[in-house]
Amino acid sequence: MEAAVVSVSRGAIGFVIAKLGDLLAGKYKLLKGAKGEIMFLKAELESMRAFLERMSEAEEEPDKQSKLWAKEVCDLSYDIEDSVDEFIVLVECESDCEPHGFKGFIHRSMNLLTTMNIRHRIAKEFRGLKSRVVEVSERRMRYKIDDVVSKQNKTTIDLRLLALYADTAGLVGIDGPKNELIRLMAGEEGGSAQPTKVLSIVGFGGLGKTTLANQIYQKLKWQFQCQAFVSVSQKPSIRIVLRRMLSQVGYVAREGADMEIWAEDELISELRKFLMDKRYFIVIDDIWDETTWNVIRCALPENLYGSMIITTTRINSVARACCCNQHDYIYKMKTLSNEDSRKLFFRRVFGSEDACPLYLEEVSTQILKRCGGLPLAIVTISSLLASERNKFKEHWVHIMNSLGPNFEVNPTLEGMRQILSLSYINLPHYLKTCMLYLGMYPEDYIIWKNDLVRQWVAQGFVSKAHGKYPEDVAEGYFNELVNRGIIQPVNTDHNNEVLSCRLHDMMLDLIIHKCRDENFITAPDDIQDMIGLSDKVRRLSLYLDGIIDGTILETTQLSQVRALARFGNSAYAPPLLKFKHLRVLSLEFRWEIPDLTGISHLFQLRYLKIKTDGKIQVPSGVVHLGRLQHLIVPRRTILPNGIGNMKSLCTLQEFDVGLNSIDNIRDLGDLINLRDLRICGHLSKMDELHDMERRQRLDVLTRSLEKLCDLRYLHMDYNIKVSYVLSSLFLRRLHMLCPFPKVPNAIGELHNLFDLDLTIEVLEDDIAILAQLQSLNRLKLHIEGKPETEEKVVICRKGFPVLKHFWLFCVRMSQLTFEAGTMPSLEKLEVRINSPYGAAPMGIEHLLGLKEIFVFVGGCGGEGSCSIRAALTLLRKAIDMRSSRPAANIKCVDNLLLPEHLLDDGFSWRKYGQKDILDAKHPRAYYRCTYRKSQGCSATKEVQRTDDDPELFLVLYKGKHTCIMETSFTGAARDRDRLVF
């Protein structure tokens, strides 16, 4: 095992050295003897850390004796840290609980003996730890562990995402197989009754089976009524797989039904009935055994609508079972040709297949030969070499020699693991521990960057950098893991920053293998595996489904656990009181939420995230967790009173203004270290409040927000209408969905702002305020308008110097014009307007850097629709004439475009139906007037969420209201008669 334990040990030491430094600061009133012991421990551990860094950077793998010594250092560091933490908690509790005045004097006098006993006990513990440190140091000298050859570390953190991630790696050489399989599945054209077809893609891990299946899926899925892409993995939960399929194909459970508790046969029955009369396309990725396929196949009915199923597997017998031995429908993945291998390799390393210098040609050929044409192997090695600033031939030769010579002939899991290990070996020491921590997540899990970097910081994996927050440093670590091909991007933002990632299953296999060998993470396949563990559990990842035997963890030693992640659908929660040194706690539940009272006693906790579809009860003691920096809870959560005590909080999500007490809303202003704040408002609860109480809550919220001067990110839901004076000039991201009458002048002072989402009633000339924001990279602007006004928006020639993405929605807009010279950096433009109020955007030709344009015009079925359609035709021609030819998507639909909160149009409606629409992601709902029977009103409307933006809805009105209603119409309702088609 290549120095994994060395890096883990080095990380553990770094954290405890900082703790010992805090103890020596003076505020903890150490006994004189204890202070000397701590100074000795700190000096000795610093020496050990320096040595471990040299060992982790050695060219050769450490021998067994060295790794045993490093493991002993790691265990010793954890034990020292535990002792320090216990002492600090005792001292802080003693300080917090002391009363003042004469009563305080008596209290302190009575407890003096107890306090001295505690300090003597701690001093004795440190003497024992000193003896252990001396013994470990002597062992290092006795066995001559210092005889290690070190190398110089050339790796530096790259905060940019390299251009080599602009395209999917697996796309090289994939067009041929993709087109071949599409032709095979299409079969005979013109047949009215095509039977269900099953295609199985089979091949070794890392050949690109999933990439190929996904490319076919993305190409063909729009031709089917129902689509789903689900991953199975080696040890699947069939119930979870079936639930995911039901969700993706558009199944909606009957009212009151809880799919979470359905047995396999119920899920199979419902899925089968739902798909029976539909043309469906389903991809089932990564099947490992025939039994799993046989169960899933029961849920997929045979029909004559031309339905398609694609499976991927590594096992030939499984592929034959999927296709009922129809060998024509078994596609065996081939390795990349020499030409495609070179193309993929050189694009990764140099950005072009023609840019390889002559002195690296020969060694490149040998490296490619040893990769055996496997895309994953090529991507891994090329990403490793691309991360090196200097391309030294000697280093390339060393990488080549590290690759097994037989892999090209006989690819095996161990051989692939050896190739992937190179990416780990060549990491800087500060990244190795971060990479291993990814083993906390289950297979195929989408890992969000913000969650991950916060946990790295809470675990002490991140080095301090002058003038930077630890989370910013950790984000650089994350980006470097992406650049090196260790993690795969999933979601990216407007600026091509990676927001989430996942691990290839073979990379996860490598990480779990190393974590298990070095006791870094314990991730049992079954909770029964926890019985009889010989090593102390340091980090624990549990995937719990079904009924759990709770006695197992009750009898397991868990006090040394630093991080606990709990996934799955079981309602069981581990005994939290046993995790007294826990720093990171991530809990995921479905609906049933267990008792979480034990969280109140986790005094070392830095990161707490609870994710659930149900409603949780946060324990009252959480407000006394003085070290907690990140608190992430679901919507509809009521926090206990006293959150003002949580002075260390940097992240708070979601804070519900409608459900939390006014005292807690007021206490928000005391959390002066907050940098990341998401505020929501439970819609029904906010509506239930009297106007006076609602205003009181929002006034208190406004005053609290004005005290938060260090915010970097603020999000507020649309139903929280505050007159907020922006007080934090450091804001980088501001998402204000609550409508303002106009653009607040204070926004013009936010010079660090690069991401703005703003909702306003009217824009008028306030576009100039936004245009002066020199750092603004993304602007999402909702203009709701007033019934008596129609917006005319002119983007002037000077302004928005670095804006790349402009998203605009306006209910009523008569004109949108871009002047020459405006938005010089704009790459993506999205415009959504309604036809009755205006024409297509003008001046698009002035946006010289434009790469994508999306124009969606609603309400094109009424009067004036001919002119808007003609204008859009001219717009298309103008785009086609441009030399850069940006990708264009221009739509014109009969329905109106409305945001969700404007769907309440003042009329009374009753839903009478819903159905799936071909080529649409969301179903369409049908409503008729409530007074249809009593007054004969024939008005109807159709409502459907848009595919490209879930915040907007397509609304189509038919007929006019002839009923008499007591409710007053909104502006949208008064204008509706103009839009009846």
Side-chain angles (χ1 to χ4, degrees), residues 745-953:
N745 290 326
I747 286 183
E749 304 297 322
L750 302 179
H751 302 300
N752 295 305
L753 196 67
F754 67 80
D755 182 4
L756 175 61
D757 191 340
L758 188 64
T759 301
I760 54 177
E761 292 181 2
V762 293
L763 181 62
E764 297 177 341
D765 297 329
D766 289 345
I767 192 71
I769 297 175
L770 304 177
Q772 67 183 346
L773 296 173
Q774 299 297 304
S775 301
L776 194 62
N777 190 276
R778 171 186 175 270
L779 173 61
K780 188 171 185 178
L781 196 58
H782 308 245
I783 307 174
E784 296 191 348
K786 294 181 177 179
E788 64 277 6
T789 62
E790 293 180 8
E791 285 287 346
K792 292 183 179 181
V793 180
V794 178
I795 312 296
C796 299
R797 64 181 61 231
K798 290 186 178 181
F800 300 105
V802 298
L803 191 70
K804 288 186 177 181
H805 183 185
F806 181 34
W807 187 105
L808 174 66
F809 167 70
C810 187
V811 176
R812 301 170 181 82
M813 177 178 288
S814 61
Q815 180 183 337
L816 172 61
T817 303
F818 296 91
E819 292 188 348
T822 191
M823 298 185 176
S825 303
L826 194 69
E827 297 179 357
K828 185 174 183 179
L829 172 66
E830 297 184 65
V831 178
R832 293 161 176 83
I833 56 177
N834 284 311
S835 164
Y837 300 100
M842 296 183 292
I844 298 294
E845 65 274 11
H846 297 144
L847 303 176
L848 303 179
L850 202 61
K851 296 179 180 178
E852 292 181 66
I853 178 171
F854 178 90
V855 178
F856 197 124
V857 181
C860 292
E863 297 179 5
S865 62
C866 292
S867 61
I868 186 68
R869 291 180 188 275
L872 291 176
T873 300
L874 292 175
L875 177 62
R876 290 189 186 95
K877 290 181 179 179
I879 293 171
D880 290 341
M881 292 176 63
R882 294 178 54 142
S883 57
S884 59
R885 291 294 297 272
N889 187 354
I890 300 174
K891 295 182 181 180
C892 189
V893 297
D894 293 350
N895 312 54
L896 277 175
L897 274 171
L898 292 175
E900 185 170 9
H901 59 282
L902 292 183
L903 292 180
D904 182 6
D905 53 17
F907 294 109
S908 180
W909 301 97
R910 178 171 295 167
K911 184 176 179 182
Y912 69 90
Q914 178 173 302
K915 73 174 183 178
D916 296 323
I917 304 300
L918 186 64
D919 295 345
K921 296 179 182 178
H922 305 287
R924 181 179 298 162
Y926 297 85
Y927 297 83
R928 61 169 60 106
C929 179
T930 304
Y931 302 98
R932 180 184 182 89
K933 289 185 178 181
S934 62
Q935 300 187 34
C937 184
S938 61
T940 64
K941 74 172 178 178
E942 301 171 5
V943 179
Q944 183 179 358
R945 197 182 294 270
T946 61
D947 287 347
D948 57 287
D949 190 338
E951 296 177 9
L952 295 178
F953 288 78

Side-chain angles (χ1 to χ4, degrees), residues 371-627:
C371 286
L374 262 72
L376 180 62
I378 296 171
V379 168
T380 301
I381 300 302
S382 59
S383 296
L384 166 62
L385 295 171
S387 68
E388 298 290 339
R389 182 171 298 177
N390 299 310
K391 305 294 187 282
F392 294 115
K393 183 177 180 180
E394 294 79 8
H395 181 60
W396 284 47
V397 171
H398 172 72
I399 294 296
M400 180 196 71
N401 291 332
S402 301
L403 297 170
N406 298 321
F407 185 75
E408 58 186 291
V409 179
N410 181 31
T412 62
L413 176 62
E414 192 57 44
M416 178 58 81
R417 190 181 287 159
Q418 182 183 4
I419 289 176
L420 298 180
S421 289
L422 285 174
S423 60
Y424 177 82
I425 294 170
N426 285 271
L427 286 177
H429 57 76
Y430 55 82
L431 282 183
K432 289 179 178 177
T433 311
C434 293
M435 175 181 167
L436 291 185
Y437 192 78
L438 295 167
M440 291 290 289
Y441 295 94
E443 187 175 352
D444 295 320
Y445 193 89
I446 294 179
I447 305 167
W448 290 92
K449 176 179 68 176
N450 285 344
D451 285 336
L452 183 62
V453 300
R454 289 164 184 157
Q455 292 180 55
W456 283 345
V457 172
Q459 289 283 293
F461 300 158
V462 179
S463 303
K464 291 182 179 179
H466 180 69
K468 297 183 71 174
Y469 286 113
E471 288 79 13
D472 293 336
V473 177
E475 188 172 330
Y477 293 4
F478 178 90
N479 290 341
E480 190 162 358
L481 290 178
V482 174
N483 292 338
R484 290 171 176 267
I486 291 172
I487 52 182
Q488 301 174 338
V490 175
N491 294 294
T492 57
D493 68 3
H494 55 281
N495 203 31
N496 293 321
E497 293 270 344
V498 177
L499 303 179
S500 68
C501 67
R502 65 159 53 96
L503 285 166
H504 191 283
D505 56 352
M506 300 198 75
M507 185 64 78
L508 180 59
D509 172 82
L510 167 74
I511 289 173
I512 290 175
H513 188 71
K514 290 183 178 294
C515 286
R516 187 180 297 122
D517 282 359
E518 312 308 338
N519 192 34
F520 184 74
I521 290 173
T522 302
D525 295 324
D526 189 291
I527 201 167
Q528 299 286 337
D529 298 339
M530 295 290 294
I531 300 174
L533 287 176
S534 56
D535 287 319
K536 293 179 179 179
V537 180
R538 300 299 183 187
R539 295 166 191 88
L540 181 60
S541 177
L542 297 172
Y543 194 97
L544 306 175
D545 202 9
I547 299 174
I548 302 299
D549 182 1
T551 61
I552 294 174
L553 290 184
E554 292 288 353
T555 57
T556 304
Q557 174 65 291
L558 299 170
S559 62
Q560 305 90 359
V561 176
R562 262 72 179 160
L564 171 63
R566 181 243 181 265
F567 307 94
N569 295 302
S570 169
Y572 171 76
L576 297 175
L577 282 172
K578 295 173 67 70
F579 295 83
K580 64 177 182 177
H581 291 293
L582 202 65
R583 287 158 178 73
V584 170
L585 177 60
S586 179
L587 301 172
E588 292 193 8
F589 301 99
R590 295 298 295 178
W591 289 102
E592 293 185 63
I593 313 299
D595 180 18
L596 302 176
T597 307
I599 295 176
S600 299
H601 301 277
L602 304 178
F603 296 110
Q604 302 300 329
L605 204 60
R606 272 80 170 168
Y607 173 95
L608 172 60
K609 180 178 180 179
I610 304 173
K611 182 179 178 182
T612 178
D613 294 326
K615 189 175 181 180
I616 65 171
Q617 181 70 42
V618 177
S620 60
V622 164
V623 299
H624 300 300
L625 300 180
R627 291 172 177 79

